mmCIF file of all heavy atoms in Angstrom:
data_model
loop_
_atom_site.group_PDB
_atom_site.id
_atom_site.type_symbol
_atom_site.label_atom_id
_atom_site.label_comp_id
_atom_site.label_asym_id
_atom_site.label_seq_id
_atom_site.Cartn_x
_atom_site.Cartn_y
_atom_site.Cartn_z
ATOM 1 N N GLY A 1 -25.601 -6.053 16.655
ATOM 2 C CA GLY A 1 -25.326 -4.571 16.251
ATOM 3 C C GLY A 1 -23.901 -4.332 16.194
ATOM 4 O O GLY A 1 -23.426 -3.649 15.238
ATOM 5 N N ALA A 2 -23.111 -4.874 17.163
ATOM 6 C CA ALA A 2 -21.715 -4.500 17.125
ATOM 7 C C ALA A 2 -21.014 -5.065 15.945
ATOM 8 O O ALA A 2 -20.130 -4.425 15.314
ATOM 9 C CB ALA A 2 -21.092 -4.986 18.408
ATOM 10 N N VAL A 3 -21.219 -6.415 15.676
ATOM 11 C CA VAL A 3 -20.822 -7.066 14.534
ATOM 12 C C VAL A 3 -21.045 -6.265 13.259
ATOM 13 O O VAL A 3 -20.266 -6.094 12.342
ATOM 14 C CB VAL A 3 -21.207 -8.467 14.422
ATOM 15 C CG1 VAL A 3 -20.750 -9.111 13.091
ATOM 16 C CG2 VAL A 3 -20.624 -9.248 15.563
ATOM 17 N N SER A 4 -22.327 -5.843 13.053
ATOM 18 C CA SER A 4 -22.734 -5.078 11.831
ATOM 19 C C SER A 4 -22.039 -3.862 11.723
ATOM 20 O O SER A 4 -21.569 -3.503 10.549
ATOM 21 C CB SER A 4 -24.276 -4.774 12.036
ATOM 22 O OG SER A 4 -25.078 -5.929 11.994
ATOM 23 N N GLY A 5 -21.856 -3.105 12.813
ATOM 24 C CA GLY A 5 -21.050 -1.891 12.632
ATOM 25 C C GLY A 5 -19.587 -2.005 12.197
ATOM 26 O O GLY A 5 -19.123 -1.361 11.338
ATOM 27 N N ILE A 6 -18.972 -3.135 12.783
ATOM 28 C CA ILE A 6 -17.560 -3.372 12.346
ATOM 29 C C ILE A 6 -17.533 -3.838 10.940
ATOM 30 O O ILE A 6 -16.626 -3.448 10.153
ATOM 31 C CB ILE A 6 -16.999 -4.486 13.299
ATOM 32 C CG1 ILE A 6 -16.842 -3.968 14.701
ATOM 33 C CG2 ILE A 6 -15.644 -4.957 12.762
ATOM 34 C CD1 ILE A 6 -16.417 -5.020 15.698
ATOM 35 N N ALA A 7 -18.469 -4.631 10.557
ATOM 36 C CA ALA A 7 -18.459 -5.152 9.137
ATOM 37 C C ALA A 7 -18.788 -4.089 8.152
ATOM 38 O O ALA A 7 -18.063 -3.922 7.071
ATOM 39 C CB ALA A 7 -19.633 -6.222 8.961
ATOM 40 N N VAL A 8 -19.619 -3.138 8.382
ATOM 41 C CA VAL A 8 -19.899 -1.977 7.511
ATOM 42 C C VAL A 8 -18.673 -1.146 7.363
ATOM 43 O O VAL A 8 -18.295 -0.675 6.341
ATOM 44 C CB VAL A 8 -21.078 -1.160 8.009
ATOM 45 C CG1 VAL A 8 -21.187 0.146 7.164
ATOM 46 C CG2 VAL A 8 -22.363 -1.982 7.809
ATOM 47 N N LEU A 9 -17.984 -0.807 8.506
ATOM 48 C CA LEU A 9 -16.851 -0.007 8.510
ATOM 49 C C LEU A 9 -15.735 -0.759 7.666
ATOM 50 O O LEU A 9 -15.011 -0.067 6.945
ATOM 51 C CB LEU A 9 -16.336 0.199 9.893
ATOM 52 C CG LEU A 9 -15.145 1.106 10.098
ATOM 53 C CD1 LEU A 9 -15.431 2.523 9.518
ATOM 54 C CD2 LEU A 9 -14.708 1.294 11.511
ATOM 55 N N ALA A 10 -15.559 -1.998 7.823
ATOM 56 C CA ALA A 10 -14.470 -2.703 7.104
ATOM 57 C C ALA A 10 -14.793 -2.683 5.597
ATOM 58 O O ALA A 10 -13.850 -2.593 4.771
ATOM 59 C CB ALA A 10 -14.440 -4.182 7.628
ATOM 60 N N LEU A 11 -16.068 -2.832 5.252
ATOM 61 C CA LEU A 11 -16.336 -2.904 3.832
ATOM 62 C C LEU A 11 -16.283 -1.482 3.188
ATOM 63 O O LEU A 11 -16.040 -1.406 1.977
ATOM 64 C CB LEU A 11 -17.854 -3.422 3.664
ATOM 65 C CG LEU A 11 -17.968 -4.873 3.964
ATOM 66 C CD1 LEU A 11 -19.478 -5.284 3.883
ATOM 67 C CD2 LEU A 11 -17.263 -5.812 2.980
ATOM 68 N N SER A 12 -16.569 -0.453 4.036
ATOM 69 C CA SER A 12 -16.446 0.918 3.415
ATOM 70 C C SER A 12 -15.110 1.440 3.185
ATOM 71 O O SER A 12 -14.828 2.269 2.405
ATOM 72 C CB SER A 12 -17.299 1.888 4.249
ATOM 73 O OG SER A 12 -16.684 2.037 5.585
ATOM 74 N N ALA A 13 -14.101 1.016 3.999
ATOM 75 C CA ALA A 13 -12.768 1.394 3.936
ATOM 76 C C ALA A 13 -12.062 1.328 2.601
ATOM 77 O O ALA A 13 -11.510 2.251 2.068
ATOM 78 C CB ALA A 13 -11.885 0.687 4.997
ATOM 79 N N PRO A 14 -12.178 0.235 1.875
ATOM 80 C CA PRO A 14 -11.441 0.092 0.663
ATOM 81 C C PRO A 14 -12.021 1.151 -0.471
ATOM 82 O O PRO A 14 -11.354 1.339 -1.406
ATOM 83 C CB PRO A 14 -11.744 -1.374 0.204
ATOM 84 C CG PRO A 14 -12.112 -1.990 1.381
ATOM 85 C CD PRO A 14 -12.756 -1.080 2.358
ATOM 86 N N ALA A 15 -13.260 1.560 -0.340
ATOM 87 C CA ALA A 15 -13.828 2.563 -1.180
ATOM 88 C C ALA A 15 -12.902 3.860 -1.371
ATOM 89 O O ALA A 15 -12.936 4.459 -2.450
ATOM 90 C CB ALA A 15 -15.239 2.925 -0.894
ATOM 91 N N PHE A 16 -12.209 4.184 -0.413
ATOM 92 C CA PHE A 16 -11.387 5.376 -0.553
ATOM 93 C C PHE A 16 -9.961 5.291 -0.104
ATOM 94 O O PHE A 16 -9.299 6.099 0.330
ATOM 95 C CB PHE A 16 -11.982 6.518 0.288
ATOM 96 C CG PHE A 16 -12.354 6.192 1.679
ATOM 97 C CD1 PHE A 16 -11.389 6.254 2.685
ATOM 98 C CD2 PHE A 16 -13.514 5.679 2.064
ATOM 99 C CE1 PHE A 16 -11.714 5.979 4.001
ATOM 100 C CE2 PHE A 16 -13.931 5.292 3.363
ATOM 101 C CZ PHE A 16 -12.934 5.471 4.332
ATOM 102 N N ALA A 17 -9.508 3.904 -0.130
ATOM 103 C CA ALA A 17 -8.200 3.552 0.487
ATOM 104 C C ALA A 17 -6.998 3.735 -0.456
ATOM 105 O O ALA A 17 -5.865 3.941 -0.069
ATOM 106 C CB ALA A 17 -8.192 2.280 1.131
ATOM 107 N N HIS A 18 -7.158 3.514 -1.757
ATOM 108 C CA HIS A 18 -5.972 3.346 -2.574
ATOM 109 C C HIS A 18 -6.031 4.243 -3.855
ATOM 110 O O HIS A 18 -7.091 4.843 -4.243
ATOM 111 C CB HIS A 18 -5.741 1.916 -2.999
ATOM 112 C CG HIS A 18 -6.935 1.306 -3.725
ATOM 113 N ND1 HIS A 18 -7.368 1.598 -4.948
ATOM 114 C CD2 HIS A 18 -7.846 0.389 -3.156
ATOM 115 C CE1 HIS A 18 -8.346 0.855 -5.370
ATOM 116 N NE2 HIS A 18 -8.777 0.175 -4.250
ATOM 117 N N VAL A 19 -4.862 4.488 -4.499
ATOM 118 C CA VAL A 19 -4.833 5.220 -5.771
ATOM 119 C C VAL A 19 -5.591 4.528 -6.862
ATOM 120 O O VAL A 19 -5.478 3.233 -7.085
ATOM 121 C CB VAL A 19 -3.347 5.376 -6.188
ATOM 122 C CG1 VAL A 19 -3.253 6.061 -7.572
ATOM 123 C CG2 VAL A 19 -2.548 6.061 -5.084
ATOM 124 N N SER A 20 -6.402 5.197 -7.608
ATOM 125 C CA SER A 20 -7.196 4.559 -8.582
ATOM 126 C C SER A 20 -7.230 5.464 -9.881
ATOM 127 O O SER A 20 -6.813 6.614 -9.800
ATOM 128 C CB SER A 20 -8.612 4.411 -8.187
ATOM 129 O OG SER A 20 -9.253 5.661 -7.727
ATOM 130 N N VAL A 21 -7.883 5.014 -11.028
ATOM 131 C CA VAL A 21 -7.917 5.703 -12.188
ATOM 132 C C VAL A 21 -9.370 5.515 -12.788
ATOM 133 O O VAL A 21 -9.869 4.429 -12.781
ATOM 134 C CB VAL A 21 -6.854 5.375 -13.257
ATOM 135 C CG1 VAL A 21 -6.958 3.755 -13.588
ATOM 136 C CG2 VAL A 21 -7.036 6.206 -14.439
ATOM 137 N N GLN A 22 -10.011 6.675 -13.096
ATOM 138 C CA GLN A 22 -11.281 6.514 -13.783
ATOM 139 C C GLN A 22 -11.369 7.580 -14.919
ATOM 140 O O GLN A 22 -10.791 8.682 -14.846
ATOM 141 C CB GLN A 22 -12.440 6.920 -12.630
ATOM 142 C CG GLN A 22 -12.533 5.970 -11.590
ATOM 143 C CD GLN A 22 -13.204 4.611 -12.105
ATOM 144 O OE1 GLN A 22 -13.885 4.654 -13.137
ATOM 145 N NE2 GLN A 22 -12.929 3.509 -11.380
ATOM 146 N N PRO A 23 -12.082 7.231 -15.979
ATOM 147 C CA PRO A 23 -12.195 8.061 -17.100
ATOM 148 C C PRO A 23 -13.274 9.165 -16.800
ATOM 149 O O PRO A 23 -14.241 8.947 -16.024
ATOM 150 C CB PRO A 23 -12.692 7.238 -18.210
ATOM 151 C CG PRO A 23 -13.467 6.150 -17.543
ATOM 152 C CD PRO A 23 -12.770 5.906 -16.224
ATOM 153 N N GLU A 24 -13.081 10.370 -17.373
ATOM 154 C CA GLU A 24 -14.122 11.364 -17.369
ATOM 155 C C GLU A 24 -15.037 11.165 -18.617
ATOM 156 O O GLU A 24 -14.765 11.603 -19.713
ATOM 157 C CB GLU A 24 -13.537 12.827 -17.461
ATOM 158 C CG GLU A 24 -12.632 13.061 -16.217
ATOM 159 C CD GLU A 24 -12.101 14.494 -16.258
ATOM 160 O OE1 GLU A 24 -12.459 15.200 -17.156
ATOM 161 O OE2 GLU A 24 -11.367 14.817 -15.241
ATOM 162 N N GLY A 25 -16.062 10.394 -18.433
ATOM 163 C CA GLY A 25 -16.955 10.027 -19.571
ATOM 164 C C GLY A 25 -16.584 8.595 -19.953
ATOM 165 O O GLY A 25 -16.622 7.691 -19.032
ATOM 166 N N THR A 26 -16.321 8.352 -21.119
ATOM 167 C CA THR A 26 -15.976 7.108 -21.757
ATOM 168 C C THR A 26 -14.618 6.819 -22.256
ATOM 169 O O THR A 26 -14.138 7.804 -22.972
ATOM 170 C CB THR A 26 -17.022 6.615 -22.788
ATOM 171 O OG1 THR A 26 -18.285 6.721 -22.323
ATOM 172 C CG2 THR A 26 -16.795 5.170 -23.337
ATOM 173 N N ALA A 27 -13.942 5.778 -21.877
ATOM 174 C CA ALA A 27 -12.601 5.491 -22.450
ATOM 175 C C ALA A 27 -12.869 4.388 -23.421
ATOM 176 O O ALA A 27 -12.746 3.109 -23.094
ATOM 177 C CB ALA A 27 -11.640 5.108 -21.307
ATOM 178 N N ALA A 28 -13.066 4.754 -24.724
ATOM 179 C CA ALA A 28 -13.404 3.781 -25.694
ATOM 180 C C ALA A 28 -12.179 3.327 -26.450
ATOM 181 O O ALA A 28 -11.264 4.149 -26.675
ATOM 182 C CB ALA A 28 -14.411 4.265 -26.682
ATOM 183 N N LYS A 29 -12.131 2.095 -26.831
ATOM 184 C CA LYS A 29 -11.003 1.502 -27.603
ATOM 185 C C LYS A 29 -10.806 2.288 -28.923
ATOM 186 O O LYS A 29 -11.827 2.668 -29.569
ATOM 187 C CB LYS A 29 -11.221 0.003 -27.908
ATOM 188 C CG LYS A 29 -11.406 -0.890 -26.743
ATOM 189 C CD LYS A 29 -11.604 -2.306 -27.093
ATOM 190 C CE LYS A 29 -11.810 -3.165 -25.858
ATOM 191 N NZ LYS A 29 -12.069 -4.678 -26.209
ATOM 192 N N GLY A 30 -9.585 2.611 -29.248
ATOM 193 C CA GLY A 30 -9.244 3.327 -30.444
ATOM 194 C C GLY A 30 -9.468 4.873 -30.321
ATOM 195 O O GLY A 30 -9.094 5.518 -31.271
ATOM 196 N N GLY A 31 -10.007 5.318 -29.204
ATOM 197 C CA GLY A 31 -10.315 6.791 -29.135
ATOM 198 C C GLY A 31 -9.430 7.454 -28.131
ATOM 199 O O GLY A 31 -8.356 6.943 -27.641
ATOM 200 N N TYR A 32 -9.771 8.657 -27.762
ATOM 201 C CA TYR A 32 -9.028 9.471 -26.786
ATOM 202 C C TYR A 32 -9.876 9.659 -25.548
ATOM 203 O O TYR A 32 -11.135 9.565 -25.667
ATOM 204 C CB TYR A 32 -8.625 10.833 -27.350
ATOM 205 C CG TYR A 32 -7.553 10.819 -28.385
ATOM 206 C CD1 TYR A 32 -7.827 10.326 -29.683
ATOM 207 C CD2 TYR A 32 -6.231 11.165 -28.028
ATOM 208 C CE1 TYR A 32 -6.690 10.279 -30.602
ATOM 209 C CE2 TYR A 32 -5.197 11.083 -28.965
ATOM 210 C CZ TYR A 32 -5.449 10.670 -30.201
ATOM 211 O OH TYR A 32 -4.493 10.558 -31.152
ATOM 212 N N ALA A 33 -9.294 9.907 -24.437
ATOM 213 C CA ALA A 33 -10.081 10.161 -23.201
ATOM 214 C C ALA A 33 -9.268 10.943 -22.148
ATOM 215 O O ALA A 33 -8.029 11.075 -22.303
ATOM 216 C CB ALA A 33 -10.427 8.744 -22.566
ATOM 217 N N VAL A 34 -10.013 11.591 -21.300
ATOM 218 C CA VAL A 34 -9.315 12.242 -20.153
ATOM 219 C C VAL A 34 -9.574 11.253 -18.888
ATOM 220 O O VAL A 34 -10.743 10.993 -18.638
ATOM 221 C CB VAL A 34 -9.977 13.615 -19.898
ATOM 222 C CG1 VAL A 34 -9.365 14.256 -18.578
ATOM 223 C CG2 VAL A 34 -9.625 14.567 -21.059
ATOM 224 N N VAL A 35 -8.569 10.963 -18.210
ATOM 225 C CA VAL A 35 -8.658 10.168 -17.059
ATOM 226 C C VAL A 35 -8.179 10.863 -15.899
ATOM 227 O O VAL A 35 -7.266 11.692 -15.943
ATOM 228 C CB VAL A 35 -7.934 8.720 -17.263
ATOM 229 C CG1 VAL A 35 -8.479 7.969 -18.433
ATOM 230 C CG2 VAL A 35 -6.358 8.928 -17.464
ATOM 231 N N ASP A 36 -8.735 10.480 -14.721
ATOM 232 C CA ASP A 36 -8.277 11.101 -13.413
ATOM 233 C C ASP A 36 -7.653 10.019 -12.541
ATOM 234 O O ASP A 36 -8.182 8.979 -12.341
ATOM 235 C CB ASP A 36 -9.478 11.630 -12.653
ATOM 236 C CG ASP A 36 -10.153 12.801 -13.367
ATOM 237 O OD1 ASP A 36 -9.410 13.604 -13.979
ATOM 238 O OD2 ASP A 36 -11.324 12.921 -13.132
ATOM 239 N N PHE A 37 -6.362 10.374 -12.047
ATOM 240 C CA PHE A 37 -5.775 9.486 -11.038
ATOM 241 C C PHE A 37 -6.144 10.046 -9.777
ATOM 242 O O PHE A 37 -5.706 11.212 -9.390
ATOM 243 C CB PHE A 37 -4.259 9.515 -11.372
ATOM 244 C CG PHE A 37 -3.816 8.776 -12.574
ATOM 245 C CD1 PHE A 37 -3.536 9.435 -13.733
ATOM 246 C CD2 PHE A 37 -3.648 7.379 -12.543
ATOM 247 C CE1 PHE A 37 -3.269 8.735 -14.908
ATOM 248 C CE2 PHE A 37 -3.368 6.656 -13.759
ATOM 249 C CZ PHE A 37 -3.110 7.415 -14.900
ATOM 250 N N LYS A 38 -6.815 9.258 -8.937
ATOM 251 C CA LYS A 38 -7.426 9.807 -7.699
ATOM 252 C C LYS A 38 -6.438 9.392 -6.594
ATOM 253 O O LYS A 38 -6.177 8.130 -6.367
ATOM 254 C CB LYS A 38 -8.797 9.311 -7.497
ATOM 255 C CG LYS A 38 -9.434 9.848 -6.151
ATOM 256 C CD LYS A 38 -10.855 9.355 -6.169
ATOM 257 C CE LYS A 38 -11.501 9.885 -4.719
ATOM 258 N NZ LYS A 38 -12.876 9.278 -4.588
ATOM 259 N N VAL A 39 -5.957 10.239 -5.822
ATOM 260 C CA VAL A 39 -4.981 9.907 -4.786
ATOM 261 C C VAL A 39 -5.533 10.341 -3.357
ATOM 262 O O VAL A 39 -5.504 11.512 -2.997
ATOM 263 C CB VAL A 39 -3.601 10.570 -5.028
ATOM 264 C CG1 VAL A 39 -2.544 10.228 -3.909
ATOM 265 C CG2 VAL A 39 -3.115 10.221 -6.468
#
C-alpha cells in the first residue's frame, strides 16, 4: 500500500508540473488556431 501511494503520487506530479501548450479545438496544418500556454 505504501509503495502504491508513492508511485501514484510520483506519476501524477508531471501532469501539472511544467509549462505546456494546447490548441483550443484543432491545430490543423495550413490553418489558423488559438492555442493556450498553460503556466
Side-chain angles (χ1 to χ4, degrees):
V3 171
S4 298
I6 295 173
V8 170
L9 183 60
L11 290 173
S12 64
F16 50 86
H18 54 75
V19 175
S20 60
V21 60
Q22 290 293 333
E24 296 184 1
T26 302
K29 298 179 182 180
Y32 287 77
V34 173
V35 299
D36 292 329
F37 291 96
K38 183 179 178 181
V39 182

